[in-house]
Amino acid sequence: MTVNTDAIGKRYEPLTYAVGREKIVEYALATGETDPVHLDLAAARATGHADVVAPPMFAVVYQGRSVAQAMFDPALGIDFAHLVHGQQEFRWDRLAVAGDELTTTLTVADISEKIGIGFYAFATESVNQRGETVCAGTWTNIVRPPQ
Amino acid sequence: MKPGDEIELKVTPDRYATVRYAGASGDFNPIHIDEEFARRVGLPGRILHGLWTMAQVARAHTEAFGGPESLQSLSVQFRGMGVLEQEITVHGTVGEVGQSTAVVSSEATQAGKRIVRNGRAEVRVRSAG
Protein backbone atom coordinates (compact mmCIF):
# COMPACT_ATOMS: atom_id res chain seq x y z
CA MET A 1 0.00 0.00 0.00
CA THR A 2 1.25 3.46 -0.82
CA VAL A 3 -0.28 6.35 1.04
CA ASN A 4 -0.79 9.67 -0.63
CA THR A 5 1.00 12.32 1.43
CA ASP A 6 0.01 15.29 -0.75
CA ALA A 7 -2.58 16.45 1.77
CA ILE A 8 -0.07 17.07 4.60
CA GLY A 9 -0.63 20.62 5.79
CA LYS A 10 -4.12 20.85 4.30
CA ARG A 11 -6.38 23.08 6.38
CA TYR A 12 -10.14 22.75 6.27
CA GLU A 13 -12.78 25.41 6.57
CA PRO A 14 -13.45 26.25 10.25
CA LEU A 15 -16.76 24.91 11.57
CA THR A 16 -18.73 26.40 14.45
CA TYR A 17 -20.58 24.27 17.01
CA ALA A 18 -23.14 25.79 19.40
CA VAL A 19 -22.88 23.99 22.73
CA GLY A 20 -26.33 23.05 24.04
CA ARG A 21 -27.15 22.42 27.70
CA GLU A 22 -29.18 19.28 27.10
CA LYS A 23 -26.53 17.91 24.73
CA ILE A 24 -23.98 18.19 27.53
CA VAL A 25 -26.35 16.39 29.91
CA GLU A 26 -26.97 13.65 27.32
CA TYR A 27 -23.20 13.19 26.80
CA ALA A 28 -22.50 13.25 30.55
CA LEU A 29 -25.10 10.54 31.20
CA ALA A 30 -23.81 8.39 28.31
CA THR A 31 -20.29 8.48 29.76
CA GLY A 32 -21.20 7.88 33.41
CA GLU A 33 -20.46 11.37 34.75
CA THR A 34 -21.89 12.00 38.19
CA ASP A 35 -20.44 15.46 38.93
CA PRO A 36 -23.51 17.74 39.12
CA VAL A 37 -21.71 20.57 37.25
CA HIS A 38 -22.29 18.47 34.09
CA LEU A 39 -25.91 17.64 34.87
CA ASP A 40 -27.58 20.51 36.67
CA LEU A 41 -27.70 24.23 35.95
CA ALA A 42 -28.12 25.29 39.57
CA ALA A 43 -25.17 23.14 40.65
CA ALA A 44 -23.00 24.57 37.87
CA ARG A 45 -23.92 28.17 38.77
CA ALA A 46 -23.42 27.50 42.48
CA THR A 47 -19.79 26.62 41.75
CA GLY A 48 -19.16 29.76 39.70
CA HIS A 49 -19.80 28.49 36.18
CA ALA A 50 -21.90 30.46 33.71
CA ASP A 51 -23.84 27.36 32.69
CA VAL A 52 -23.70 23.56 32.67
CA VAL A 53 -20.06 22.50 32.16
CA ALA A 54 -19.03 20.13 29.35
CA PRO A 55 -16.92 17.17 30.52
CA PRO A 56 -13.43 17.53 28.97
CA MET A 57 -14.01 14.63 26.56
CA PHE A 58 -17.09 16.44 25.16
CA ALA A 59 -14.39 17.79 22.80
CA VAL A 60 -15.15 14.78 20.60
CA VAL A 61 -18.63 16.21 20.05
CA TYR A 62 -17.71 19.79 19.12
CA GLN A 63 -14.64 18.72 17.10
CA GLY A 64 -16.34 15.73 15.48
CA ARG A 65 -17.64 17.43 12.36
CA SER A 66 -14.21 18.86 11.63
CA VAL A 67 -12.69 15.39 11.90
CA ALA A 68 -15.36 14.05 9.55
CA GLN A 69 -14.32 16.69 6.99
CA ALA A 70 -10.91 15.06 6.72
CA MET A 71 -12.01 11.45 7.18
CA PHE A 72 -14.39 11.68 4.24
CA ASP A 73 -12.13 13.83 2.06
CA PRO A 74 -11.55 12.01 -1.24
CA ALA A 75 -8.15 13.74 -1.44
CA LEU A 76 -7.04 11.58 1.51
CA GLY A 77 -8.79 8.46 0.32
CA ILE A 78 -8.94 6.75 3.72
CA ASP A 79 -9.89 3.07 3.45
CA PHE A 80 -12.64 2.76 6.07
CA ALA A 81 -12.77 -1.01 5.92
CA HIS A 82 -9.29 -1.17 7.45
CA LEU A 83 -9.37 1.89 9.66
CA VAL A 84 -8.74 1.89 13.40
CA HIS A 85 -8.42 4.76 15.84
CA GLY A 86 -4.84 4.40 17.06
CA GLN A 87 -4.15 7.32 19.33
CA GLN A 88 -5.88 10.36 20.73
CA GLU A 89 -4.63 13.39 22.53
CA PHE A 90 -6.38 16.47 23.91
CA ARG A 91 -5.15 19.55 25.70
CA TRP A 92 -7.70 21.74 27.47
CA ASP A 93 -6.98 25.41 28.11
CA ARG A 94 -10.39 26.25 29.56
CA LEU A 95 -13.76 24.64 30.11
CA ALA A 96 -16.58 24.78 27.59
CA VAL A 97 -20.03 25.57 28.97
CA ALA A 98 -23.52 25.53 27.49
CA GLY A 99 -24.06 28.62 25.35
CA ASP A 100 -20.51 28.68 24.03
CA GLU A 101 -19.96 28.82 20.29
CA LEU A 102 -16.81 26.87 19.50
CA THR A 103 -15.06 27.20 16.17
CA THR A 104 -12.80 24.30 15.23
CA THR A 105 -10.13 24.25 12.56
CA LEU A 106 -8.57 21.02 11.40
CA THR A 107 -5.17 20.62 9.79
CA VAL A 108 -3.72 17.42 8.36
CA ALA A 109 -0.68 17.26 10.64
CA ASP A 110 0.96 14.20 9.13
CA ILE A 111 0.50 11.25 6.82
CA SER A 112 3.07 8.49 6.84
CA GLU A 113 3.55 4.83 6.16
CA LYS A 114 5.46 2.15 8.05
CA ILE A 115 5.64 -1.45 6.83
CA GLY A 116 2.51 -1.01 4.77
CA ILE A 117 0.48 0.63 7.54
CA GLY A 118 -0.79 4.15 6.93
CA PHE A 119 -0.86 6.74 9.72
CA TYR A 120 -3.06 9.85 9.47
CA ALA A 121 -2.70 12.51 12.15
CA PHE A 122 -5.21 15.36 12.32
CA ALA A 123 -4.68 18.43 14.50
CA THR A 124 -7.77 20.23 15.74
CA GLU A 125 -8.03 23.52 17.56
CA SER A 126 -11.21 24.99 19.01
CA VAL A 127 -11.68 28.59 20.10
CA ASN A 128 -14.72 30.05 21.82
CA GLN A 129 -16.81 33.12 20.89
CA ARG A 130 -14.26 35.33 22.69
CA GLY A 131 -11.40 33.95 20.62
CA GLU A 132 -9.94 32.04 23.57
CA THR A 133 -8.49 28.59 22.90
CA VAL A 134 -10.61 25.92 24.56
CA CYS A 135 -9.13 22.67 23.33
CA ALA A 136 -6.53 21.30 20.95
CA GLY A 137 -6.56 17.70 19.79
CA THR A 138 -4.48 15.23 17.82
CA TRP A 139 -6.40 12.37 16.22
CA THR A 140 -4.28 9.51 14.89
CA ASN A 141 -5.93 6.96 12.62
CA ILE A 142 -4.28 3.82 11.36
CA VAL A 143 -5.13 2.08 8.10
CA ARG A 144 -3.89 -1.49 7.91
CA PRO A 145 -3.21 -3.10 4.57
CA PRO A 146 -5.91 -5.50 3.32
CA GLN A 147 -5.09 -9.05 4.43
CA MET B 1 -0.80 14.71 45.58
CA LYS B 2 2.59 12.98 45.55
CA PRO B 3 4.51 10.64 43.25
CA GLY B 4 3.28 7.09 43.56
CA ASP B 5 -0.32 8.02 44.49
CA GLU B 6 -2.77 5.79 42.66
CA ILE B 7 -6.23 6.31 41.22
CA GLU B 8 -8.75 3.70 40.15
CA LEU B 9 -12.16 3.69 38.51
CA LYS B 10 -14.28 0.62 37.81
CA VAL B 11 -17.15 0.73 35.35
CA THR B 12 -19.25 -1.90 33.61
CA PRO B 13 -20.79 -0.76 30.31
CA ASP B 14 -24.35 -2.09 30.21
CA ARG B 15 -25.98 -3.73 27.20
CA TYR B 16 -27.03 -0.40 25.66
CA ALA B 17 -23.99 1.74 26.57
CA THR B 18 -22.82 1.97 22.96
CA VAL B 19 -26.29 2.92 21.73
CA ARG B 20 -26.50 5.82 24.17
CA TYR B 21 -22.92 6.85 23.36
CA ALA B 22 -23.60 6.72 19.62
CA GLY B 23 -26.46 9.16 20.09
CA ALA B 24 -24.52 11.40 22.46
CA SER B 25 -21.34 11.50 20.38
CA GLY B 26 -22.70 11.21 16.84
CA ASP B 27 -20.54 8.15 16.06
CA PHE B 28 -23.01 5.64 14.59
CA ASN B 29 -20.44 3.23 13.15
CA PRO B 30 -22.45 -0.03 13.04
CA ILE B 31 -19.65 -2.07 14.64
CA HIS B 32 -20.72 -0.38 17.90
CA ILE B 33 -24.51 -0.70 17.66
CA ASP B 34 -25.44 -3.52 15.28
CA GLU B 35 -24.69 -6.99 16.60
CA GLU B 36 -25.28 -8.71 13.26
CA PHE B 37 -23.08 -6.28 11.33
CA ALA B 38 -20.28 -6.57 13.91
CA ARG B 39 -20.25 -10.37 13.64
CA ARG B 40 -20.38 -10.22 9.87
CA VAL B 41 -17.12 -8.19 9.80
CA GLY B 42 -15.42 -10.69 12.09
CA LEU B 43 -15.84 -9.07 15.50
CA PRO B 44 -17.01 -11.02 18.55
CA GLY B 45 -20.06 -8.73 18.68
CA ARG B 46 -20.67 -5.02 19.17
CA ILE B 47 -17.54 -3.34 20.53
CA LEU B 48 -17.10 -0.21 22.65
CA HIS B 49 -16.22 3.13 21.11
CA GLY B 50 -12.56 3.82 21.94
CA LEU B 51 -13.48 7.39 22.80
CA TRP B 52 -16.07 6.17 25.33
CA THR B 53 -13.31 4.22 27.04
CA MET B 54 -11.05 7.29 26.88
CA ALA B 55 -13.87 9.24 28.55
CA GLN B 56 -13.71 6.74 31.44
CA VAL B 57 -9.95 7.32 31.69
CA ALA B 58 -10.59 11.09 31.75
CA ARG B 59 -13.32 10.66 34.40
CA ALA B 60 -10.94 8.67 36.62
CA HIS B 61 -8.73 11.77 36.69
CA THR B 62 -11.43 14.45 37.09
CA GLU B 63 -13.10 12.50 39.91
CA ALA B 64 -9.80 11.97 41.73
CA PHE B 65 -8.23 15.38 41.24
CA GLY B 66 -11.03 17.86 41.81
CA GLY B 67 -13.36 18.18 38.83
CA PRO B 68 -13.21 18.95 35.12
CA GLU B 69 -10.84 21.93 35.57
CA SER B 70 -8.15 19.60 36.88
CA LEU B 71 -7.48 17.84 33.59
CA GLN B 72 -5.07 19.80 31.40
CA SER B 73 -4.19 17.15 28.86
CA LEU B 74 -4.71 13.47 28.17
CA SER B 75 -3.24 11.21 25.53
CA VAL B 76 -3.95 7.51 25.07
CA GLN B 77 -3.32 4.66 22.67
CA PHE B 78 -6.17 2.30 21.79
CA ARG B 79 -5.38 -1.41 21.70
CA GLY B 80 -7.59 -4.42 21.22
CA MET B 81 -11.28 -3.80 21.72
CA GLY B 82 -13.58 -3.27 24.62
CA VAL B 83 -16.82 -5.24 24.92
CA LEU B 84 -20.16 -4.69 26.64
CA GLU B 85 -21.23 -6.10 30.01
CA GLN B 86 -17.71 -6.74 31.33
CA GLU B 87 -16.07 -4.65 34.00
CA ILE B 88 -13.36 -2.19 32.97
CA THR B 89 -10.72 -0.97 35.40
CA VAL B 90 -8.94 2.32 34.85
CA HIS B 91 -5.76 2.53 36.85
CA GLY B 92 -3.47 5.54 37.12
CA THR B 93 -0.25 6.37 38.93
CA VAL B 94 1.02 9.83 39.75
CA GLY B 95 4.54 10.43 38.46
CA GLU B 96 6.39 13.71 38.56
CA VAL B 97 4.68 16.46 40.56
CA GLY B 98 5.67 19.99 39.55
CA GLN B 99 4.69 23.49 40.70
CA SER B 100 1.53 23.71 38.65
CA THR B 101 1.00 20.30 37.08
CA ALA B 102 1.50 16.64 37.87
CA VAL B 103 1.94 13.82 35.37
CA VAL B 104 -0.29 10.76 35.69
CA SER B 105 0.21 7.57 33.69
CA SER B 106 -2.73 5.25 33.16
CA GLU B 107 -4.24 2.30 31.38
CA ALA B 108 -7.64 0.64 31.09
CA THR B 109 -8.05 -3.12 31.28
CA GLN B 110 -10.95 -5.47 30.70
CA ALA B 111 -10.79 -9.21 31.50
CA GLY B 112 -7.02 -8.90 31.86
CA LYS B 113 -6.51 -7.23 28.47
CA ARG B 114 -5.30 -3.68 28.09
CA ILE B 115 -7.77 -1.78 25.90
CA VAL B 116 -6.20 1.63 26.54
CA ARG B 117 -2.51 1.89 27.13
CA ASN B 118 0.19 4.52 27.53
CA GLY B 119 -2.29 6.96 29.02
CA ARG B 120 -0.53 10.13 30.00
CA ALA B 121 -2.24 13.09 31.63
CA GLU B 122 -1.16 16.43 32.95
CA VAL B 123 -3.26 17.37 35.96
CA ARG B 124 -3.42 20.88 37.38
CA VAL B 125 -2.12 21.00 40.92
CA ARG B 126 -4.17 23.29 43.13
CA SER B 127 -1.95 25.47 45.26
CA ALA B 128 -2.54 25.22 48.97
CA GLY B 129 -3.77 28.62 50.06
Side-chain angles (χ1 to χ4, degrees):
Chain A
M1 185 180 66
T2 310
V3 301
N4 180 355
T5 58
D6 294 349
I8 294 173
K10 183 171 180 178
R11 224 173 148 78
Y12 294 81
E13 189 191 338
L15 298 177
T16 298
Y17 180 93
V19 180
R21 187 184 293 157
E22 299 298 344
K23 188 68 191 178
I24 291 176
V25 173
E26 181 191 3
Y27 178 88
L29 292 174
T31 51
E33 294 287 351
T34 56
D35 188 334
V37 299
H38 304 309
L39 301 166
D40 181 68
L41 178 61
R45 289 206 171 137
T47 48
H49 301 290
D51 210 306
V52 170
V53 176
M57 285 297 294
F58 187 78
V60 307
V61 178
Y62 58 77
Q63 297 194 341
R65 282 180 209 154
S66 295
V67 174
Q69 275 177 311
M71 296 277 271
F72 294 104
D73 182 353
L76 269 70
I78 290 180
D79 172 11
F80 282 91
H82 302 98
L83 173 75
V84 292
H85 194 171
Q87 237 171 289
Q88 181 67 49
E89 181 170 355
F90 287 113
R91 169 171 214 90
W92 296 275
D93 286 355
R94 49 180 49 74
L95 295 172
V97 299
D100 278 352
E101 294 206 357
L102 303 177
T103 299
T104 300
T105 307
L106 184 143
T107 308
V108 179
D110 196 30
I111 301 174
S112 64
E113 182 183 337
K114 272 179 221 146
I115 49 167
I117 300 170
F119 294 84
Y120 298 81
F122 304 137
T124 45
E125 191 180 53
S126 302
V127 298
N128 64 19
Q129 63 279 13
R130 294 179 293 276
E132 301 159 335
T133 300
V134 171
C135 177
T138 304
W139 307 63
T140 305
N141 293 292
I142 298 174
V143 178
R144 296 183 185 285
Q147 298 295 313
Chain B
M1 197 191 309
K2 59 182 190 307
D5 282 358
E6 298 190 24
I7 61 168
E8 190 177 84
L9 179 146
K10 287 183 183 290
V11 58
T12 303
D14 71 28
R15 192 174 174 77
Y16 302 109
T18 53
V19 178
R20 281 192 299 278
Y21 185 78
S25 69
D27 181 348
F28 288 93
N29 186 329
I31 60 174
H32 304 301
I33 54 177
D34 183 336
E35 194 72 27
E36 200 179 299
F37 180 91
R39 290 184 192 279
R40 211 183 318 135
V41 298
L43 295 168
R46 295 176 298 147
I47 61 167
L48 297 174
H49 297 78
L51 290 170
W52 180 88
T53 309
M54 185 179 179
Q56 306 312 309
V57 176
R59 188 160 68 85
H61 293 77
T62 56
E63 289 185 358
F65 300 116
E69 301 89 334
S70 62
L71 191 58
Q72 179 172 294
S73 70
L74 177 64
S75 66
V76 301
Q77 290 180 339
F78 301 107
R79 284 297 177 276
M81 52 194 120
V83 297
L84 293 158
E85 301 184 285
Q86 265 189 44
E87 188 175 67
I88 293 169
T89 302
V90 178
H91 190 267
T93 308
V94 177
E96 198 182 322
V97 179
Q99 289 287 339
S100 57
T101 57
V103 174
V104 181
S105 54
S106 60
E107 62 180 27
T109 56
Q110 188 178 43
K113 287 184 304 189
R114 285 188 298 176
I115 56 173
V116 165
R117 70 174 192 186
N118 291 335
R120 185 183 185 280
E122 288 167 293
V123 172
R124 294 185 178 95
V125 177
R126 285 178 299 177
S127 56

